[in-house]
Amino acid sequence: MHDERRRIEERVERVHTQRIKPAIYAATVPFEVEAWQAPGEPVPFAEAAAAPYEPFAMDTPWGPPWGTTWFRMRGQVPAEWAGKRVEAVIDLGFVGDWPGNQAEALVHLADGTPLKAVNPLNQYVPIAHPATGGETVDYLVEAASNPDILADNFSAPTLMGDILTAGDKPLYTFRCADLAVLDEEVWHLDLDLQVLSELMVHLGEHEPRRHEIMHALDRAMDTLDLDDVSGSAAAVREVLAPVLARPAHASAHTISGVGHAHIDSAWLWPIRETKRKTSRTFSNVTSLADEYDDFIFACSQAQQYEWVRDNYPQVWGRIQDSVKKGQWAPVGGMWVEADGNLPGGEAIARQLIHGKRFFIEHFGVETKGVWLPDSFGYTAAYPQLAKLAGNEWFLTQKISWNQTNKFPHHTFWWEGIDGTRIFTHFPPVDTYNARFSGEEMDRAVRNYREKGGGTRSLAPFGWGDGGGGPTREIMERARRLADLEGSPKVVVEHPDAFFAKAREEYPDAPVWNGELYLELHRATYTSQARTKQGNRRSEHKLREAELWATTAALHAPGYAYPYEKLDRLWKTVLLHQFHDILPGSSIAWVHREAEAEYARVAEELEALTAEAVAALGGGATRVFNTSPYDRAEVVHTADGAPAYVKVPANGSAPLTDAGPAQPVRAEGLVLDNGLVRVQVAEDGTLSSVCDLRSNREVLADKGNLLRLHTDLPNYWDAWDIDKHYKNRYTDLLAPDSIEVVSQDPLLGAIRVTRSFGKGSTITQTITVRADSPRIDFETEIDWHEAEKILKAGFPVDVRAAHSSAEIQFGHVQRPTHTNTSWEAARFEVCGHRWVHIGEPGYGVAVLNDSTYGHDVTRTVREDGGTTTTVALSLVRAPRIPDPEADQGTHRFTYSLLPGATIGDAVAEGYALNLPLRVAEAAGTPEPVVSVAGEGVTVEAVKLADDASGDVVVRLYESRGGRAQGVLSTGFPLAGAQVTDLLERPLPDETAHIEDGTVAVSLRPFQVLTLRLQRGTTGR
């Protein structure tokens, strides 16, 4: 037989595109349209309904950037359309086919009932099926004119990312608003052709099935009357029916399709727009559920449900109905789909707590899995935290973006730092916005790494990132692919059902141990430094407010624990941990608002803490220590004078000068406190750090070397830092001034000021305090660079085989060598409050109060010694999507801690991030809890969320070894329970009480939550 593939494929493509698709709507009549431009921010429906409207003609420009235009559309269904399927078809002037970041609209009935959204891939609104003819249609359409920030693939910076800079020129031209008759036979023919054509071209040329489909399509084109597509469509479908009816092979891969609409809680749009996106997408989803009984939609992010509940009660009611019918599946159990690396341990716990509780309270559903398809890597603490929240499975997708190494598994057991394992799936379709195209189905089968062990994978389907969700066309594809030769089998089902089947057939799936490191988007540990600092400080201020509010509730008569305020503030912080806010990858508007929110959170938490401390009574000055470790350090009094104090963990002490062992001496540019001697060179770097306890020089070269690198990644500016950044740099070695600014016996300090680049300045105060080996670098930067990154390097004279970086509830070790491509790809990594490097018998830690990105490298010197360098990433200057990212002032502190063990790094990391508080308080209450036992660390102290008055304490083992300890309480202890994260008793765990204390036994990095009942004599 002659090879006619090219002729037939081109014939089918032309006829399909130019004849069949235009015939899907058989007849149209235009709406009468009027418009009203809302001033400023979006307005409620009632205000829009009462507004003055003016006539509006098609092909008219509309919509300034970030504006809202309301359109009133009126029409009447012609009598001759009786018995036909009638729809409204609206084209706002869509650009491209991505629903997420452009014109979108929500269609309402005249009484305010939301019906359905329209976007580029979902332009219809059902009116009548069948129509009776003569129906009057009256709509109010809320249309958002959001700019297309993604235009030209982020090729150039844009000012469109903030309403303050976007201008007011209309962005879109309204194309059509029609009543139309859907020709269902032609519509189904269109879908038949899509599925078969795409399947055909992705089958091998040697496959008989490919040629069978090809010739069937050729015969179908012969059957089609080009002058009467509608009249001949049924006959054409009969020709195609046999090839669509051939069943899949018995061994065909099974794809569990799960309806999905990935809605970034903020990204290329502000939070206020996401609130509207949820209403649009969820309206579409509930409308689709009415059409397709077999449709199931999985939706995460409790925050988005709450927005709909509060702003769109009718849509909320439809969601509740869909959940009851089993068509809507709440998943994920988190407040938002948070970044997978940057939130603190307690914050990830609260993400799970608040998310799961919301779904239990409002739907009676306890979610079983963590749904995080789009975060930029995942901490090794996740398996334990997920299981402690009652989860059975974990889903992710983003690891498919790896720049260097292909992840070896799709279905596997993920083992965390404490040994907990959770069943995990990574969909081989390589997207969380699937549409069941031939390309996607072929890719899912080819990619699947578990062949021979497993037979199924999951595919989240529906348009996403900016929402949109599944469409009827995608559902029709799924139906055709349910059992079709040459294709994997598609079954639409709940993700819980998929995970149960996958685990049953593959219980001995392989194990991946440790973090899921994304070999891309490494700059998200650094971009938008003020957003990251706001998060870090909010997390610690929340800890502080909860501890002292609990103390006051136990000891201060009349004090009421602020449950509602703390709940609200936690949810604000959790929202801003979304995986495009905290990582710094959103538009300027998002980060401007985030900084303002963090400032409000800090102010309110400061007031709550001050109120709690004041409730303990006034009259004496005391020092309050929120850290879980005893402190002996220098603190500044109200008049700014330094004082040396000793304060117990989680407790307070009088402000009395305890007297340090040795004073600080400042001689020239040398600071010496008897523990360390620090010498500042004329170029402003550290020329020497001598650990006097070990009689050892710590540095192998210039310490605190500030290095300004060129930083232009290949793509995704705010997200990525590519390896070539290391090749071009300038060392900042010409200070404007160096001066000694404190020679107090308790505190010596030297200030170094530099100017550099495009008008940037950096002022650093290098501080040594009495009785502490910690050296602080209090830093203020006025940053005006573009496409640069500033790093601070500490080359240390130790031969470190690995670095240890703090993560949530523990730390991870990473090799310092680059033996394999996996290690070489980790050239920029994430850590929280500290990074530790060491050799047997000696270690050094680098601490910080607000940054996360760093790198650790190792070289061998000519003298045979080894230099291990920790370089903190301080600030970047990407220009896309925010052209002014990180410009302006930054204030933060990082520290060098010579002679540090892991335990020292843990304690000093807490100390740096939780400054001692000086306040008036006459009461001298015991700490709520005290722990004796090395490695047992208190992470949170609070009252139980059910307002029972029980005290909840979260502990963990922080050093990586087994720990035994005893927990004592500052109140009469009546009982204790081991609970999950949601404060529910764990039936297989028992808390052992003896002599009014609780015995604690922890495996490495184990997290333990205790619920403590108070005795009747306690307050």
Side-chain angles (χ1 to χ4, degrees):
M1 185 180 290
H2 298 298
D3 185 353
E4 293 197 277
R5 285 175 298 161
R6 181 176 176 181
R7 175 190 67 80
I8 295 172
E9 289 171 10
E10 289 178 351
R11 179 192 188 192
V12 171
E13 170 65 20
R14 180 174 186 183
V15 172
H16 185 196
T17 303
Q18 296 183 8
R19 294 293 191 272
I20 295 172
K21 281 188 175 296
I24 289 175
Y25 284 106
T28 63
V29 294
F31 277 102
E32 292 182 2
V33 181
E34 298 176 304
W36 173 69
Q37 176 67 47
E41 288 297 282
V43 301
F45 176 87
E47 183 176 340
Y53 285 76
E54 297 181 355
F56 184 88
M58 294 299 99
D59 298 319
T60 298
W62 71 278
W66 306 112
T68 301
T69 306
W70 285 80
F71 295 98
R72 174 165 278 139
M73 300 180 183
R74 292 190 173 102
Q76 190 171 39
V77 177
E80 60 269 24
W81 289 4
K84 299 180 179 179
R85 184 165 181 166
V86 180
E87 299 178 346
V89 180
I90 301 168
D91 184 345
L92 300 170
F94 301 118
V95 293
D97 61 359
W98 184 43
N101 197 47
Q102 57 163 297
E104 300 177 71
L106 180 62
V107 179
H108 302 76
L109 292 176
D111 65 2
T113 302
L115 284 181
K116 185 179 171 295
V118 292
N119 61 52
L121 296 161
N122 205 338
Q123 298 183 20
Y124 77 97
V125 180
I127 291 174
H129 186 206
T132 59
E135 295 100 327
T136 298
V137 181
D138 190 351
Y139 289 157
L140 271 177
V141 179
E142 181 189 27
S145 49
N146 301 327
D148 182 10
I149 304 295
L150 196 59
D152 302 320
N153 290 321
F154 285 148
S155 61
T158 175
L159 295 176
M160 287 289 182
D162 197 330
I163 196 170
L164 302 179
T165 58
D168 58 5
K169 182 180 178 181
L171 297 176
Y172 300 99
T173 300
F174 209 124
R175 291 203 185 97
C176 78
D178 294 333
L179 288 166
V181 173
L182 178 71
D183 190 321
E184 294 187 72
E185 201 69 53
V186 175
W187 180 66
H188 280 290
L189 173 59
D190 168 59
L191 288 157
D192 292 345
L193 289 171
Q194 287 182 45
V195 169
L196 287 172
S197 297
E198 291 174 5
L199 173 60
M200 174 184 70
V201 299
H202 285 96
L203 288 169
E205 294 179 4
H206 63 284
E207 294 279 354
R209 175 66 165 161
R210 174 168 181 158
H211 296 272
E212 179 190 38
I213 294 172
M214 178 182 69
H215 287 289
L217 289 171
D218 199 29
R219 291 193 301 274
M221 296 303 98
D222 291 339
T223 306
L224 182 71
D225 184 344
L226 297 180
D227 295 320
D228 186 11
V229 172
S230 179
S232 57
V236 177
R237 294 194 69 207
E238 288 180 11
V239 172
L240 296 176
V243 288
L244 281 167
R246 286 194 180 274
H249 297 305
S251 60
H253 185 76
T254 298
I255 292 179
S256 295
V258 179
H260 185 47
H262 189 71
I263 307 177
D264 287 321
S265 289
W267 179 30
L268 305 180
W269 47 84
I271 287 172
R272 71 93 144 137
E273 194 55 32
T274 313
K275 294 177 181 179
R276 301 202 292 179
K277 284 178 175 291
T278 56
S279 70
R280 298 176 197 130
T281 296
F282 294 173
S283 295
N284 284 351
V285 169
T286 53
S287 176
L288 193 65
D290 290 339
E291 291 188 64
Y292 291 87
D293 291 340
D294 53 338
F295 173 61
I296 294 176
F297 178 72
C299 185
S300 65
Q301 305 195 79
Q303 172 68 90
Q304 295 185 1
Y305 286 79
E306 185 176 81
W307 284 334
V308 173
R309 183 198 68 189
D310 293 346
N311 298 297
Y312 298 90
Q314 292 163 306
V315 178
W316 171 250
R318 284 150 55 181
I319 293 172
Q320 290 181 307
D321 290 341
S322 291
V323 172
K324 290 175 184 176
K325 290 190 291 185
Q327 291 187 279
W328 186 297
V331 294
M334 296 179 71
W335 192 247
V336 297
E337 288 184 15
D339 180 82
N341 288 306
L342 302 174
E346 189 61 23
I348 291 182
R350 303 299 176 100
Q351 288 281 0
L352 293 161
I353 292 165
H354 284 293
K356 292 202 71 162
R357 279 200 182 132
F358 185 93
F359 294 134
I360 291 170
E361 177 184 352
H362 294 287
F363 302 116
V365 172
E366 178 155 2
T367 56
K368 294 183 179 181
V370 177
W371 181 281
L372 263 184
D374 189 33
S375 189
F376 311 141
Y378 306 89
T379 171
Y382 249 122
Q384 180 178 196
L385 294 175
K387 292 297 283 291
L388 285 173
N391 292 296
E392 301 172 359
W393 54 260
F394 190 99
L395 178 135
T396 176
Q397 176 65 68
K398 202 71 169 193
I399 302 299
S400 67
W401 286 38
N402 270 6
Q403 199 172 44
T404 305
N405 298 286
K406 189 175 180 66
F407 194 75
H409 309 300
H410 284 107
T411 300
F412 58 100
W413 289 97
W414 181 19
E415 182 177 312
I417 53 173
D418 72 311
T420 299
R421 293 179 177 178
I422 191 165
F423 196 70
T424 301
H425 184 64
F426 163 36
V429 72
D430 277 2
T431 179
Y432 46 81
N433 296 324
R435 60 183 185 88
F436 299 133
S437 69
E439 178 187 7
E440 289 169 351
M441 298 298 91
D442 178 61
R443 181 170 66 237
V445 175
R446 281 188 293 105
N447 272 354
Y448 186 58
R449 304 298 289 269
E450 317 308 325
K451 296 182 181 76
T455 64
R456 61 186 65 245
S457 64
L458 186 147
F461 68 88
W463 301 100
D465 286 331
T471 63
R472 61 187 180 184
E473 288 78 13
I474 300 177
M475 279 300 297
E476 290 292 339
R477 284 172 172 268
R479 286 180 167 182
R480 285 161 174 79
L481 294 170
D483 191 14
L484 182 62
E485 183 187 355
S487 170
K489 293 180 284 188
V490 173
V491 54
V492 177
E493 63 181 348
H494 195 294
D496 286 348
F498 161 77
F499 275 96
K501 294 172 185 175
R503 183 171 174 173
E504 181 180 7
E505 76 167 2
Y506 202 23
D508 58 345
V511 176
W512 179 269
N513 180 271
E515 64 184 330
L516 294 175
Y517 177 84
L518 177 62
E519 296 175 0
L520 198 73
H521 293 0
R522 304 168 182 92
T524 58
Y525 316 143
T526 306
S527 295
Q528 297 285 1
R530 283 184 293 268
T531 297
K532 290 175 171 58
Q533 185 178 71
N535 175 73
R536 175 80 68 84
R537 294 186 179 173
S538 294
E539 288 178 349
H540 287 81
K541 284 182 178 295
L542 279 161
R543 172 197 180 99
E544 186 177 29
E546 286 184 338
L547 173 64
W548 301 117
T550 303
T551 305
L554 295 177
H555 298 290
Y559 177 82
Y561 190 84
Y563 291 101
E564 293 182 2
K565 290 180 180 178
L566 288 169
D567 181 80
R568 173 174 48 79
L569 290 166
W570 260 116
K571 287 175 179 175
T572 299
V573 173
L574 298 179
L575 165 59
H576 288 86
Q577 291 175 341
F578 179 76
H579 64 251
D580 275 307
I581 303 178
L582 184 51
S585 48
S586 290
I587 56 174
W589 191 348
V590 173
H591 291 289
R592 171 170 59 82
E593 289 192 331
E595 291 175 33
E597 279 294 290
Y598 285 130
R600 286 191 285 271
V601 167
E603 182 179 7
E604 194 165 349
L605 286 172
E606 184 66 26
L608 287 178
T609 302
E611 180 182 355
V613 170
L616 298 172
T621 303
R622 296 182 67 83
V623 182
F624 293 81
N625 174 19
T626 310
S627 163
Y629 291 92
D630 295 345
R631 308 265 283 272
E633 63 185 65
V634 176
V635 67
H636 287 280
T637 61
D639 60 4
Y644 184 80
V645 296
K646 294 182 178 180
V647 196
N650 303 309
S652 66
L655 180 60
T656 55
D657 198 326
Q662 294 187 60
V664 179
R665 298 192 307 275
E667 299 176 358
L669 296 182
V670 178
L671 303 174
D672 186 330
N673 68 356
L675 301 176
V676 291
R677 184 172 61 244
V678 179
Q679 183 164 350
V680 179
E682 294 297 326
D683 61 12
T685 63
L686 304 188
S687 57
S688 173
V689 173
C690 184
D691 186 340
L692 300 174
R693 300 163 298 176
S694 304
N695 192 27
R696 175 174 181 147
E697 174 58 49
V698 175
L699 298 177
D701 205 337
K702 297 177 184 293
N704 192 39
L705 176 63
L706 298 172
R707 179 166 283 179
L708 185 67
H709 295 262
T710 296
D711 179 23
L712 184 66
N714 293 342
Y715 195 54
W716 299 101
D717 292 25
W719 291 259
D720 287 349
I721 179 170
D722 285 336
K723 207 167 190 175
H724 52 252
Y725 88 90
K726 295 188 174 187
N727 300 334
R728 188 173 181 86
Y729 58 83
T730 301
D731 290 339
L732 306 185
L733 297 174
D736 299 334
S737 64
I738 303 177
E739 58 179 329
V740 177
V741 292
S742 176
Q743 295 177 291
D744 190 278
L746 293 178
L747 184 150
I750 296 171
R751 182 171 295 151
V752 181
T753 302
R754 309 173 189 274
S755 55
F756 61 95
K758 304 293 185 181
S760 299
T761 60
I762 180 168
T763 300
Q764 292 195 299
T765 302
I766 304 165
T767 303
V768 173
R769 293 174 175 83
D771 270 13
S772 174
R774 197 178 90 197
I775 305 153
D776 290 345
F777 300 85
E778 299 170 36
T779 303
E780 180 174 326
I781 302 177
D782 187 17
W783 181 249
H784 298 286
E785 303 308 298
E787 296 168 350
K788 297 288 190 295
I789 184 171
L790 182 65
K791 287 193 165 245
F794 291 93
V796 178
D797 187 11
V798 297
R799 182 169 175 77
H802 61 261
S803 64
S804 298
E806 187 190 38
I807 62 169
Q808 302 82 353
F809 295 110
H811 59 266
V812 290
Q813 294 182 341
R814 302 180 177 110
T816 54
H817 61 72
T818 54
N819 283 357
T820 71
S821 58
W822 293 88
E823 282 112 25
R826 286 180 169 88
F827 58 83
E828 182 81 0
V829 291
C830 181
H832 282 227
R833 291 170 291 213
W834 54 266
V835 181
H836 183 273
I837 54 173
E839 60 190 23
Y842 194 81
V844 175
V846 178
L847 318 168
N848 74 84
D849 72 356
S850 60
T851 191
Y852 297 85
H854 66 278
D855 69 89
V856 181
T857 55
R858 192 177 73 180
T859 60
V860 177
R861 306 187 299 273
E862 290 185 3
D863 65 4
T866 298
T867 300
T868 305
T869 301
V870 177
L872 296 181
S873 299
L874 303 182
V875 64
R876 295 185 71 231
R879 302 182 64 217
I880 299 171
D882 176 5
E884 297 295 318
D886 277 325
Q887 299 300 296
T889 303
H890 302 266
R891 296 181 182 89
F892 51 84
T893 299
Y894 55 90
S895 307
L896 182 69
L897 186 64
T901 64
I902 292 290
D904 296 330
V906 172
E908 289 298 321
Y910 275 108
L912 180 62
N913 282 269
L914 291 164
L916 295 174
R917 171 181 291 269
V918 179
E920 295 294 313
T924 58
E926 294 180 54
V928 176
V929 292
S930 302
V931 177
E934 292 189 354
V936 182
T937 301
V938 176
E939 178 62 15
V941 178
K942 57 188 286 294
L943 290 191
D945 290 339
D946 61 6
S948 63
D950 292 349
V951 175
V952 172
V953 181
R954 193 134 33 240
L955 311 148
Y956 72 105
E957 195 291 312
S958 60
R959 301 184 184 185
R962 293 188 179 275
Q964 304 288 330
V966 175
L967 181 144
S968 305
T969 64
F971 56 90
L973 181 63
Q977 294 174 314
V978 177
T979 74
D980 66 4
L981 293 184
L982 278 70
E983 302 171 10
R984 303 175 297 192
L986 291 173
D988 298 330
E989 301 284 345
T990 303
H992 299 285
I993 301 177
E994 186 175 342
D995 296 331
T997 64
V998 182
V1000 176
S1001 179
L1002 299 175
R1003 66 179 181 268
F1005 300 130
Q1006 181 183 355
V1007 176
L1008 177 69
T1009 304
L1010 293 174
R1011 184 175 180 131
L1012 308 176
Q1013 288 82 42
R1014 295 150 58 185
T1016 56
T1017 58
R1019 287 202 48 83

